[in-house]
């Protein structure tokens, strides 16, 4: 009898302890969940939906862009701790082309550092000026996306930018009226763009971090500026398929980081210059014959 009387409260006590334990467990799991995978911010989710709404997406590439957690959507990456969208990568990887309009709602993604829209088909619409307002951009790739018209000088405001790829190609070469706007991009490591005119001397002076310079397939005229020799981290230099003249600066041979060089490919009609350049090439890429063969079609 006595033992039964004490058993019941003991059971209740144990049960309540167990329930408490369960609750604590549940709470910890929940807060862990939040820490590991901070949910998408509602305002940014709306901005992405509006962006999607403006796009033409015949193959349904953005069909995962539904539901409340935009951090799980295809091509969207968020900061783990804050839940802010930091990356939108919609590079086309298999002919599921996006087109249409790029909505200004993107500006609500205040923490965006990375945007890749390359290899899509925007059918000649111009690059919107507002892309120059993303103060945190470090990576912008609009190459081969068939944008039309001029590159907006507003992109020169992207002072944090490390990678800028505006290679036009094909039917929609992207053009700029001058390159002065570029001179504010002093942190650039990678630059690829279309232009006609002379290669600005200040590229060598004002972009000391440049590792990759690709001005292929444009209408550049005039000399290769000696100032390019100031770029001590330059690995890749590609000036092929332009209309350059003059001589290659001797000093390019002194750039120790330079491993891939393509200066020729119909740049020069004069066979003597061709020979001279071939000689310089050997000097520049000493010991790197394999890469030389692949990247430099003489
Ligand atoms: C989120 O955390 C994982 C694991 O720690 C890490 O690999 C990933 O780079 C982080 N992503 C971002 C956007 O910070
Ligand atoms: C930009 O995109 C193109 C095509 O998708 C790619 O080949 C290129 O490497 C990218 N540029 C950078 C800087 O990543
Ligand atoms: C961005 O660049 C454009 C064109 O170069 C300029 O008119 C505009 O004032 C700049 N905006 C800011 C916020 O610096
Ligand atoms: C190449 O540049 C020269 C001037 O240096 C010019 O006379 C010629 O027309 C240009 N070629 C083309 C195809 O534009
Ligand atoms: C670069 O190399 C050339 C020989 O090719 C040499 O005459 C010149 O002094 C070097 N310049 C520098 C800055 O090292």
């Amino acid at each position: 009898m006595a033992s039964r009387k004490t058993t019941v409260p003991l059971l209740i006590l144990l049960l309540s302890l167990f329930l408490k334990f369960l609750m604590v467990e549940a709470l910890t799991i929940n807060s862990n969940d939040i820490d590991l995978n901070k949910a998408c911010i509602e305002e940014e989710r709306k901005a992405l939906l509006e962006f999607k709404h403006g796009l033409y997406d015949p193959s349904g590439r953005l069909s995962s862009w539904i539901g409340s957690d935009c951090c799980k959507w295809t091509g969207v990456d968020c900061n783990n701790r804050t839940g802010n969208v930091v990356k939108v990568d919609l590079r086309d990887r298999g002919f599921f082309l996006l087109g249409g309009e790029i909505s200004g709602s993107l500006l609500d993604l205040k923490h965006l550092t990375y945007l890749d829209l390359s290899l899509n088909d925007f059918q000649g619409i111009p690059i919107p000026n507002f892309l120059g307002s993303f103060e945190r951009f470090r990576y912008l790739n609009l190459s081969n996306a068939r944008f039309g018209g001029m590159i907006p000088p507003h992109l020169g405001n992207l002072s944090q930018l490390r990678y800028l790829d505006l290679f036009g190609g094909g039917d929609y070469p992207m053009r700029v009226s001058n390159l002065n706007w570029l001179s504010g991009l002093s942190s650039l490591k990678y630059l690829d763009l279309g232009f006609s005119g002379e290669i600005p001397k200040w590229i060598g002076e004002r972009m000391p971090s440049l590792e990759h310079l690709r001005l292929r397939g444009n209408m550049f005229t005039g000399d290769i500026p000696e100032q390019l020799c100031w770029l001590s981290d330059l690995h890749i230099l590609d000036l092929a398929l332009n209309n350059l003249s003059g001589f290659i600066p001797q000093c390019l041979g002194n750039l120790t980081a330079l491993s891939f060089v393509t200066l020729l490919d119909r740049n020069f009609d004069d066979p003597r210059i061709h020979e001279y350049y071939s000689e310089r090439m050997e000097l520049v890429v000493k010991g790197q014959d394999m890469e030389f063969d692949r990247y430099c079609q003489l």
Side-chain angles (χ1 to χ4, degrees):
M1 275 308 222
S3 72
R4 202 189 255 177
K5 259 185 197 158
T6 48
T7 319
V8 173
L10 196 70
L11 263 179
I12 289 171
L13 182 74
L14 280 176
L15 203 69
S16 72
L17 274 177
F18 181 59
L19 278 176
K20 232 180 214 161
F21 169 74
L22 272 187
M23 273 168 64
V24 169
E25 266 299 280
L27 275 179
T28 1
I29 286 166
N30 262 346
S31 65
N32 267 349
D33 256 8
I34 289 164
D35 280 346
L36 285 178
N37 190 12
K38 192 95 163 49
C40 159
I41 290 161
E42 182 55 18
E43 196 189 7
E44 300 194 346
R45 191 182 73 91
K46 282 191 185 144
L48 284 170
L49 280 180
E50 212 168 305
F51 172 57
K52 175 190 176 183
H53 190 70
L55 291 176
Y56 176 60
D57 178 21
S59 64
R61 246 178 97 198
L62 303 184
S63 55
S64 73
W65 286 33
I66 46 171
S68 61
D69 192 358
C70 66
C71 298
K72 295 208 168 81
W73 295 354
T74 306
V76 178
D77 267 336
C78 296
N79 178 306
N80 287 337
R81 277 175 302 108
T82 62
N84 288 113
V85 174
V86 290
K87 180 170 169 177
V88 173
D89 176 2
L90 296 178
R91 177 185 299 192
D92 186 73
R93 292 176 170 87
F95 291 104
F96 304 114
L97 303 175
L98 297 171
E101 243 180 73
I102 298 173
S103 163
S105 70
L106 273 188
L107 283 172
D108 286 339
L109 306 177
K110 298 220 163 48
H111 296 262
L112 199 62
T113 62
Y114 188 112
L115 180 64
D116 188 344
L117 299 176
S118 65
L119 297 174
N120 284 293
D121 183 4
F122 287 94
Q123 302 190 327
I125 67 151
I127 298 173
N129 294 350
F130 70 74
L131 287 187
S133 307
F134 288 89
E135 285 166 17
R136 293 172 195 242
F137 265 179
R138 288 174 152 256
Y139 182 101
L140 179 60
N141 194 341
L142 304 177
S143 75
N144 281 299
R146 295 166 66 90
F147 287 102
M150 308 294 272
I151 295 170
H154 304 72
L155 299 187
N157 295 336
L158 300 172
S159 57
Q160 302 287 312
L161 211 56
R162 303 286 191 276
Y163 300 86
L164 179 60
D165 197 333
L166 298 175
F167 180 72
D171 313 338
Y172 292 96
M174 289 189 280
R175 296 286 174 223
V176 283
S177 55
N178 66 66
L179 287 176
N180 293 339
W181 58 275
L182 262 179
S183 65
L185 306 183
S186 56
S187 305
L188 272 191
K189 287 169 181 274
Y190 184 113
L191 176 63
D192 190 332
L193 92 166
F195 181 65
S196 52
E198 297 202 350
I199 299 174
K201 294 178 174 35
W202 51 253
I203 283 191
E205 297 162 2
R206 301 203 199 147
M207 297 182 173
S209 313
L210 219 50
E211 295 172 2
H212 180 125
L213 179 60
R214 193 165 178 264
L215 304 173
R216 161 182 281 260
N218 293 290
M219 287 307 294
F220 280 108
T221 53
D223 294 339
I224 298 174
E226 248 175 64
Q227 282 81 353
L228 293 186
C229 299
W230 300 12
L231 300 170
S232 56
D233 293 330
L234 196 64
H235 290 299
I236 296 182
L237 176 63
D238 185 350
L239 303 177
L241 296 169
N242 284 292
N243 185 14
L244 298 167
S245 54
F247 288 97
I248 217 175
Q250 294 271 340
C251 61
L252 276 189
N254 301 13
L255 279 172
T256 49
L258 205 57
S259 47
F260 304 128
V261 199
T262 314
L263 302 177
L264 289 171
D265 283 358
R266 283 187 274 129
N267 256 339
F268 304 92
D269 290 335
D270 185 337
R272 281 169 307 155
I273 290 180
H274 195 287
E275 213 169 273
Y276 175 76
Y277 273 57
S278 305
E279 238 170 64
R280 294 303 306 168
M281 287 306 96
E282 274 166 36
L283 204 109
V284 169
V285 297
K286 44 188 177 261
Q288 312 255 6
D289 289 343
M290 273 184 53
E291 289 96 346
F292 179 67
D293 284 345
R294 257 191 293 135
Y295 282 82
C296 191
Q297 298 145 14
L298 290 173

